[in-house]
């Protein structure tokens, strides 16, 4: 049996990009249907990064998508870069007048899902997009299979691929140029969540001779930490004692407060940008359009920035029949995408120890870190990118 639903915008993917877009469009009276192959429980419990740019927080709070970020999240006014035995604080408000917020992505997703459901949004979990039809015409259609294995057709005026790095919509948008721009890195992060009080009040990004470590936080009782590991590392191969030894050795000068580790994962590093972000009446946003390595936490923030641009373009198109913004969408979005690609690559290469790095490489890297922390221009460059370039009004 095939069910057909009609809507103005079909959104594939109920991650930050898809949910925020449906929220913003609804505010303009534009209906959408959002589908995701995952269950609500899976979306709400998958652990991702925790840093929101000032502009992301402004969008979430101003539009009522999440106000809990202000009560349950915490504002961070700086980070520390640690190398060669010393810490150097980057003071965000002092340098650029902005801050960031520590608020886990899955908490933002809980808020967005609750807000969409409260507003009566057509939001279908367990529903898998399998293909697309007619994206070159004016009735693009998403073909999907429901949790009950029934066929679903969503006929829309516009289709948005917000379906993550293994996007189905991307195949239809990119066609023959599906490859995109791509880079892999010879390392990964070993991430843990542990029950312990914070070891530091702000994030520490530490470049140590054996590799990188990041000390992050979650709450007064739960902490998130990462250390550089091999890309094919097995998260279960290390004992808790080995994990703590590795972390402690990589942040010399700070005695980490240890506690039971209740989650461990290995995060692979990739940089990717799809060659085409739009074709006809379909666009890609968020991880479907691009992936960044995690250093600097740009992933969710970049998804939000894509959506702010796309919301404006779809309002102009669907309310006023004005195609100019949607015609310029790929070009405008790509400017921020490539700035974020550069920043994530730069932070990654400046802070990690590449396998086979020579003494020259090591000394050059310390020179680079010193040029950043010892100069107002260097610190400001980092602070501007980390807290996020301004979003369009
Ligand atoms: C976190 C993750 C990041 O990639 C980062 O740069 C900072 C913080 C986190 O999960 O807390």
């Amino acid at each position: 049996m095939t069910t057909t639903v009609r809507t103005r915008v079909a959104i594939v993917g109920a991650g930050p990009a898809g949910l925020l877009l449906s929220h913003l469009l609804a505010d303009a009276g534009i209906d959408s249907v959002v589908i995701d192959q995952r269950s609500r429980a899976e979306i709400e419990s998958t652990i991702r990064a925790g840093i929101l740019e000032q502009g992301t927080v402004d969008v979430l709070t101003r539009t009522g998508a999440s106000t809990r970020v202000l009560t349950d999240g915490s504002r961070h006014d700086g980070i520390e870069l640690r190398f060669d035995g010393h810490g150097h604080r980057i003071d965000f408000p002092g340098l650029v007048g902005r801050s960031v917020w520590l608020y886990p992505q899955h908490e933002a997703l809980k808020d967005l899902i609750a807000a969409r459901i409260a507003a009566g949004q057509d939001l279908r979990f367990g529903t898998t997009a399998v293909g697309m039809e007619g994206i070159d015409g004016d009735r693009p259609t998403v073909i999907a299979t429901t949790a009950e294995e029934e066929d679903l057709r969503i006929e829309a005026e516009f289709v948005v691929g917000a379906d993550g790095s293994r996007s189905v919509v991307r195949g239809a948008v990119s066609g023959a140029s599906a490859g995109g721009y791509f880079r892999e890195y010879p390392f990964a992060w070993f991430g843990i969540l542990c029950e312990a009080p914070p070891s530091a009040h702000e994030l520490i990004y530490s470049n140590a001779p054996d590799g990188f470590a990041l000390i992050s936080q979650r709450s007064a009782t739960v902490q998130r930490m990462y250390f550089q590991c091999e890309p094919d590392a097995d998260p279960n191969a290390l004992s808790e004692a080995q994990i703590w030894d590795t972390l402690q050795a990589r942040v010399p000068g700070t005695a980490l407060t240890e506690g039971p580790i209740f989650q461990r994962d290995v995060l692979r590093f990739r940089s990717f940008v799809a060659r085409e972000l739009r074709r006809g009446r379909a666009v890609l946003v968020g991880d479907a359009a691009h992936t960044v390595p995690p250093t600097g936490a740009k992933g969710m923030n970049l998804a939000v920035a894509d959506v702010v641009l796309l919301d404006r373009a779809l309002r102009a198109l669907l309310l006023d029949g004005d195609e100019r913004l949607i015609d310029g969408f790929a070009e405008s979005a790509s400017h921020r995408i490539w700035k974020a690609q550069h920043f994530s690559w730069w932070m990654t290469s400046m802070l990690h120890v590449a396998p086979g790095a020579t003494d020259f490489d090591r000394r050059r890297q310390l020179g680079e870190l010193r040029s950043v922390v010892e100069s107002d221009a260097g610190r400001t460059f980092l602070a501007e990118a980390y807290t996020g370039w301004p979003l369009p009004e």
Side-chain angles (χ1 to χ4, degrees), residues 134-152:
I135 62 169
D136 292 321
D138 54 13
R139 212 75 196 129
T141 299
V142 175
I143 318 288
T145 309
T146 69
E148 295 75 33
E149 309 269 317
E150 284 175 2
D151 296 331
L152 173 70

Side-chain angles (χ1 to χ4, degrees), residues 31-150:
D31 288 340
S32 60
V33 172
V34 181
I35 62 169
D36 199 295
Q37 61 180 346
R38 297 166 296 170
S39 67
R40 180 177 179 180
E42 185 183 347
I43 294 171
E44 292 187 342
S45 62
T46 304
I47 304 297
R48 297 279 173 89
I51 292 289
L52 304 185
E53 294 173 1
Q54 178 92 56
T56 298
V57 172
D58 291 346
V59 171
L60 291 176
T61 53
R62 190 179 64 230
T63 65
S66 164
T67 46
R68 210 158 55 91
V69 50
L70 298 178
T71 51
D72 295 14
S74 54
R75 199 183 79 215
H76 281 230
D77 288 340
I79 56 169
E80 184 187 311
L81 292 188
R82 187 169 303 184
F83 57 91
D84 204 20
H86 297 279
H88 306 264
R89 183 164 188 267
I90 310 290
D91 166 16
F92 297 151
L95 291 160
V96 293
R98 295 197 296 272
S99 298
V100 296
W101 292 76
L102 189 97
Y103 188 61
Q105 179 169 323
H106 69 276
E107 296 295 334
L109 286 170
K110 285 184 198 167
D111 299 342
L112 277 160
I113 290 172
R116 296 316 303 129
I117 288 177
Q121 169 70 38
D122 187 340
L123 172 54
R124 302 175 187 221
F125 300 105
T127 300
T128 306
V130 292
M132 310 266 304
E133 279 175 11
I135 62 169
D136 292 321
D138 54 13
R139 212 75 196 129
T141 299
V142 175
I143 318 288
T145 309
T146 69
E148 295 75 33
E149 309 269 317
E150 284 175 2

Side-chain angles (χ1 to χ4, degrees), residues 5-6 17 21 24 29 33 35 68 113 121 129 137 139 176 231 251 269 310 323:
V5 295
R6 292 190 176 80
L21 181 65
L24 299 179
V33 172
I35 62 169
R68 210 158 55 91
I113 290 172
Q121 169 70 38
R139 212 75 196 129
V251 276
F269 276 46
L310 182 58
E323 298 189 354

